[in-house]
Amino acid sequence: ALCTLAGKSVGIGDGVKVELTVLYLFTFSLLACVFCRKNDDCPNKYGEKKTKEKWNLTVHYYCLLMSSGIWQRGKEEEGVYGFLIEDIRKEVNRASKLKCCVCKKNGASIGCVAPRCKRSYHFPCGLQRECIFQFTGNFASFCWNHRPVQIITSNNYRESLPCTICLEFIEPIPSYNILRSPCCKNAWFHRDCLQVQAINAGVFFFRCTICSNSDIFQKEMLRMGIHIPEKDASWELEENAYQELLQHHERCDVRRCRCKEGRDYNAPDSKWEIKRCQCCGSSGTHLACSSLRSWEQNWECLECRGIIYNSGEFQKAKKHVLPNSNNVGITDCLLEESSPKLPRQSPGSQSKDLLRQGSKFRRNVSTLLIELGFQIKKKTKRLYINKANIWTSALDAFRNRNFNPSYAIEVAYVIENDNFGSEHPGSKQEFLSLLMQHLENSSLFEGSLSKNLSLNSQALKENLYYEAGKMLAISLVHGGPSPGFFSKTLFNCLVYGPENTQPILDDVSDFDVAQIIIRINTATTIADLKSVINECYNYLELIGCLRLITTLSDKYMLIKDILVYHVIQRVQAPFESFKQGLKTLGVLEKIQAYPEAFCSILCHKPESLSAKILSDLFAVHTLPDVKALGFWNSYLQAVEDGKSTTTMEDILIFATGCSSIPPAGFKPTPSIECLHVDFPVGNKCNNCLAIPVTNTYKEFQENMDFTIRNTLKLEKEESSHYIGH
């Protein structure tokens, strides 16, 4: 009745109209969200509360965004945040048939995405039971048993630590309300403090309070359910204002610095690594200068130490018991990917898209590699490579004491046991391409398509994992191909650390181990589970994964322990060695700074070549023969249509030595020449392809097919012949 009255024009008098207007605003402020049935107006918890008077509709933004059966089909200005009104009504109708597992009332529009989990809940009820809602990607939600957790290998913190935002002491144990920074090992936060800061800072200024990292920090916080709105910071209205505040501190500020290289010297993973104050981040010390045994130890500058320990306002938190393992369940999400929800965009994503394309969020990987390439000096180092034994000759060359990865590389091919000592110029990109192919198929990695590191004791003894990482780094920076065979687990270990990575069943290449995990997972009763454990007792005891089984759900923690051991802990030594090798030329640091860009080339094969890609790739440098160029374009189209015995990759290999376009591009740019010759000629050193000038297209195609096919076949046979001997 109040709503009806408030919406009418009443001709009693202006004073009455004013009172009705106030009544109207008050009434709508009390309207309940159609999803959660709460009238709370708390943007930090539930998102903005939006009322559409025309349709008599009120929603909380987060309730709408996280609902499982709706997606954004309209433009930003349509409906509510781009969600169409008819879609919202359908979703409300769908949810009305679902009962919330927390409050037992209907209207539970949000469901857990873990496979075979049937829990549904309202958004506020989910917050109450500590569910996690991911405001990114597919906008997944996880119930309290299946939510993602932060994993640390060991807890070296014996005392409470201050939240780096509010400075209140907290127990440094990862839980729903306590989160750890992925980039600074001793930075801990209250969830509520992080959420408030994220809303105030926005996507462009939300970063680690200690080291100012944004990419790694934001990705982890999004995973753990922190909403980072795509907006400018509340305090930041002027472009590039306070830019100096975004730089992290790298200087030793203690009274007596012991480093002979000076206060600005910083050597990561050594006693001369600079550690920043865990409270303000604006002062630093070398580990050795403050007698710190490891990075894990706490350190505060004198000013912060005086504030924290000399004032009576800060008291240490009481010790808390470790959370019950039953509260953090691991389910089938370890064994298979979660069912993705329909994609949708958050409000403001379209308006920010152009701005983000020019920022570090969308940095092109080729640009990043070109930046790394600026380290390459003009001085040249010649590598003598035996194509028949790429691995050994590459090892010898890279291990040579005169080799410097920042020198320009020049390749000379030699033949083993050649009494004349002859050599001929080789293609650097062809050499790096062959080297990457060897690495992919070597015993240093295991798996079919997506590979993880293997455990090869001989290779570890010979330091080959380090050399493999070094070779990958050199290939990327010097214009070679990317590996493209990393598993997501290996990539995440490199970017976020093994302690923050959870393997899945696909990472296990050992058939017997995979069968043990499958049998444990498919056990339907405690008796079945204990039977499997008894059969595998020796193995589980050997790897240190035996655990007390009290409920059937304990199998998920057991599966997790086996996966972590087999995929991560078992290969810890190879991983650390491989990681050190990837630090060559600053490649690992770049990968960690821009994970999204590098994931596309480290975990995925290059896109398939097409006629248009090759046509655009090859430039015509000499006076062209119009007829021959027409034959060339027709030939590319015929190859793409499968009307030729060659492939696009064959053509590129014939001309450049590479089967795909390197991430940093070709140098020099591939070119075409039209020559009055009978057959095509490929110059891999200069990336030049000479095509024949013929009278008919049929003759052109036959000559191209014959030469390319037989040249590549001969090269392959010669390589096999040398390897066989």
Side-chain angles (χ1 to χ4, degrees):
L2 288 174
C3 292
T4 304
L5 182 61
K8 301 288 185 181
S9 294
V10 183
I12 298 176
D14 291 340
V16 175
K17 287 185 178 180
V18 171
E19 289 179 4
L20 288 176
T21 301
V22 173
L23 175 63
Y24 168 84
L25 295 173
F26 174 74
T27 301
F28 272 94
S29 69
L30 295 178
L31 290 180
C33 170
V34 294
F35 288 106
C36 70
R37 296 298 174 187
K38 289 183 177 290
N39 56 19
D40 304 53
D41 189 3
C42 183
N44 282 357
K45 290 180 67 176
Y46 308 131
E48 183 183 359
K49 185 179 180 182
K50 199 84 166 181
T51 296
K52 291 291 184 179
E53 175 191 351
K54 181 178 178 181
W55 294 288
N56 192 25
L57 185 72
T58 299
V59 293
H60 289 126
Y61 172 48
Y62 293 171
C63 293
L64 175 62
L65 190 64
M66 299 309 303
S67 292
S68 302
I70 189 172
W71 64 98
Q72 189 184 46
R73 294 196 301 132
K75 297 180 181 178
E76 290 293 314
E77 64 275 8
E78 294 184 273
V80 183
Y81 302 114
F83 294 87
L84 303 182
I85 299 300
E86 58 267 29
D87 291 342
I88 296 176
R89 295 200 185 283
K90 289 179 182 178
E91 178 64 1
V92 172
N93 183 56
R94 183 191 72 85
S96 66
K97 304 169 187 176
L98 300 174
K99 183 176 290 186
C100 175
C101 60
V102 179
C103 69
K104 308 304 180 185
K105 296 179 181 179
N106 289 342
S109 63
I110 305 172
C112 177
V113 300
R116 291 184 286 281
C117 180
K118 297 181 180 180
R119 289 190 179 94
S120 295
Y121 33 83
H122 303 101
F123 185 84
C125 295
L127 289 182
Q128 177 187 335
R129 282 303 305 271
E130 300 184 345
C131 299
I132 280 185
F133 304 92
Q134 294 182 340
F135 296 89
T136 184
N138 293 320
F139 292 83
S141 61
F142 300 86
C143 71
W144 51 93
N145 274 350
H146 302 140
R147 69 190 184 207
V149 296
Q150 289 189 307
I151 302 171
I152 59 174
T153 52
S154 61
N155 186 3
N156 296 324
Y157 306 99
R158 298 175 182 173
E159 298 180 347
S160 301
L161 294 175
C163 166
T164 61
I165 296 177
C166 71
L167 295 182
E168 178 185 334
F169 276 92
I170 55 180
E171 192 72 18
I173 299 173
S175 64
Y176 176 80
N177 291 310
I178 304 298
L179 299 177
R180 183 195 192 197
S181 171
C183 43
C184 288
K185 302 168 188 175
N186 63 335
W188 297 79
F189 313 89
H190 290 109
R191 173 181 288 273
D192 292 342
C193 292
L194 277 172
Q195 186 58 79
V196 172
Q197 179 168 325
I199 290 176
N200 290 332
V203 71
F204 299 105
F205 286 89
F206 182 56
R207 57 193 68 234
C208 177
T209 55
I210 301 298
C211 69
S212 292
N213 179 283
S214 62
D215 284 350
I216 297 175
F217 185 75
Q218 285 192 17
K219 189 154 188 175
E220 174 66 1
M221 294 305 113
L222 286 170
R223 186 180 78 90
M224 296 307 297
I226 300 298
H227 179 223
I228 311 172
E230 294 189 10
K231 66 172 188 177
D232 291 324
S234 57
W235 65 82
E236 182 61 84
L237 298 177
E238 182 181 346
E239 187 177 1
N240 293 326
Y242 319 113
Q243 190 69 25
E244 68 278 1
L245 296 180
L246 304 182
Q247 306 300 322
H248 56 256
H249 191 82
E250 288 191 354
R251 178 181 171 82
C252 179
D253 299 303
V254 299
R255 182 174 299 177
R256 293 185 61 186
C257 178
R258 303 174 183 175
C259 182
K260 295 181 180 179
E261 302 293 333
R263 292 183 177 271
D264 296 325
Y265 181 71
N266 183 20
D269 299 321
S270 74
K271 65 180 181 179
W272 301 119
E273 180 173 5
I274 290 180
K275 178 180 177 64
R276 289 174 286 277
C277 172
Q278 66 175 357
C279 297
C280 68
S282 59
S283 295
T285 178
H286 291 115
L287 297 183
C289 295
S290 293
S291 301
L292 300 177
R293 292 186 297 275
S294 73
W295 178 271
E296 301 287 347
Q297 284 186 261
N298 304 329
W299 183 80
E300 305 93 12
C301 63
L302 291 175
E303 290 80 3
C304 293
R305 192 176 304 164
I307 293 173
I308 294 175
Y309 296 103
N310 294 335
S311 68
E313 296 180 8
F314 301 97
Q315 296 181 355
K316 292 189 177 181
K318 296 179 180 179
K319 296 286 183 178
H320 299 286
V321 296
L322 284 169
N324 192 313
S325 61
N326 291 334
N327 294 335
V328 185
I330 304 296
T331 68
D332 303 282
C333 59
L334 295 172
L335 307 178
E336 54 186 281
E337 294 292 334
S338 302
S339 302
K341 294 170 66 176
L342 293 169
R344 54 198 178 207
Q345 295 177 327
S346 59
S349 62
Q350 294 175 350
S351 61
K352 289 291 184 180
D353 188 58
L354 290 177
L355 180 60
R356 293 187 69 175
Q357 285 179 1
S359 73
K360 67 191 298 184
F361 293 90
R362 293 290 182 266
R363 292 294 301 275
N364 187 288
V365 70
S366 61
T367 304
L368 297 171
L369 292 175
I370 290 172
E371 289 176 1
L372 288 174
F374 292 151
Q375 304 172 75
I376 300 176
K377 302 177 175 62
K378 292 183 178 180
K379 186 172 182 179
T380 301
K381 174 63 178 177
R382 174 171 288 193
L383 306 183
Y384 295 94
I385 303 298
N386 176 13
K387 286 179 69 173
N389 199 344
I390 285 286
W391 176 252
T392 302
S393 52
L395 267 182
D396 292 341
F398 289 155
R399 284 176 167 175
N400 189 298
R401 64 180 183 178
N402 294 323
F403 175 77
N404 187 327
S406 63
Y407 288 170
I409 292 176
E410 183 180 285
V411 174
Y413 287 138
V414 296
I415 300 176
E416 193 174 10
N417 300 326
D418 183 358
N419 296 328
F420 298 100
S422 59
E423 61 183 64
H424 57 277
S427 163
K428 175 187 69 176
Q429 286 167 320
E430 180 188 35
F431 156 63
L432 293 174
S433 181
L434 294 172
L435 186 57
M436 290 302 102
Q437 291 175 27
H438 178 92
L439 265 183
E440 181 175 1
N441 299 311
S442 71
S443 60
L444 301 178
F445 297 90
E446 61 184 19
S448 52
L449 297 177
S450 297
K451 296 178 179 288
N452 290 292
L453 290 171
S454 66
L455 180 59
N456 186 322
S457 57
Q458 186 60 32
L460 190 62
K461 182 179 179 181
E462 296 176 9
N463 206 24
L464 296 185
Y465 290 100
Y466 170 83
E467 298 296 341
K470 179 179 175 182
M471 290 174 182
L472 286 169
I474 290 173
S475 177
L476 290 173
V477 178
H478 283 264
S482 60
F485 58 82
F486 282 20
S487 72
K488 284 293 181 63
T489 297
L490 175 56
F491 181 78
N492 289 339
C493 284
L494 291 169
V495 175
Y496 308 112
E499 68 276 11
N500 296 314
T501 302
Q502 179 57 61
I504 60 175
L505 183 61
D506 289 343
D507 294 316
V508 179
S509 59
D510 188 304
F511 178 80
D512 294 332
V513 175
Q515 287 302 305
I516 291 174
I517 294 174
I518 292 172
R519 290 182 62 194
I520 293 173
N521 184 61
T522 54
T524 55
T525 65
I526 294 183
D528 291 341
L529 180 58
K530 289 184 176 180
S531 175
V532 176
I533 292 174
N534 287 335
E535 291 181 32
C536 309
Y537 184 91
N538 292 336
Y539 170 73
L540 295 176
E541 184 182 37
L542 178 66
I543 67 175
C545 291
L546 275 177
R547 60 167 47 243
L548 179 64
I549 301 298
T550 57
T551 65
L552 186 61
S553 61
D554 288 341
K555 68 180 183 180
Y556 300 120
M557 293 303 295
L558 178 58
I559 290 172
K560 174 189 163 185
D561 290 345
I562 297 173
L563 286 170
V564 170
Y565 168 78
H566 187 81
V567 181
I568 294 179
Q569 294 178 354
R570 183 175 64 95
V571 294
Q572 184 175 359
F575 173 77
E576 290 300 328
S577 182
F578 181 69
K579 183 178 172 183
Q580 291 300 317
L582 267 180
K583 289 183 178 180
T584 303
L585 296 173
V587 170
L588 180 61
E589 182 181 3
K590 211 72 165 179
I591 292 173
Q592 292 173 338
Y594 302 93
E596 290 186 8
F598 279 92
C599 182
S600 63
I601 64 170
L602 295 178
C603 299
H604 303 283
K605 292 295 183 182
E607 64 175 328
S608 300
L609 298 173
S610 65
K612 185 179 187 312
I613 291 176
L614 279 192
S615 178
D616 294 341
L617 180 64
F618 285 88
V620 181
H621 284 170
T622 58
L623 187 63
D625 183 288
V626 177
K627 190 176 181 180
L629 285 180
F631 288 167
W632 162 250
N633 290 324
S634 298
Y635 179 67
L636 290 179
Q637 194 59 54
V639 172
E640 185 176 58
D641 295 340
K643 299 177 182 178
S644 169
T645 56
T646 61
T647 65
M648 293 292 178
E649 288 72 20
D650 291 340
I651 297 173
L652 194 61
I653 293 173
F654 180 77
T656 67
C658 294
S659 60
S660 62
I661 301 174
F666 283 105
K667 191 175 181 181
T669 302
S671 61
I672 285 181
E673 292 180 327
C674 302
L675 299 180
H676 290 276
V677 292
D678 293 331
F679 301 98
V681 178
N683 186 341
K684 297 176 183 178
C685 294
N686 296 323
N687 298 327
C688 182
L689 174 63
I691 58 175
V693 177
T694 59
N695 294 323
T696 65
Y697 171 72
K698 181 180 179 181
E699 183 183 359
F700 180 90
Q701 179 174 348
E702 288 177 350
N703 290 352
M704 292 288 290
D705 284 349
F706 175 81
T707 306
I708 294 175
R709 183 177 66 250
N710 286 284
T711 300
L712 298 184
K713 181 180 179 181
L714 180 62
E715 289 179 351
K716 190 173 182 180
E717 288 177 351
E718 287 180 349
S719 177
S720 300
H721 171 75
Y722 287 125
I723 293 174
H725 285 72

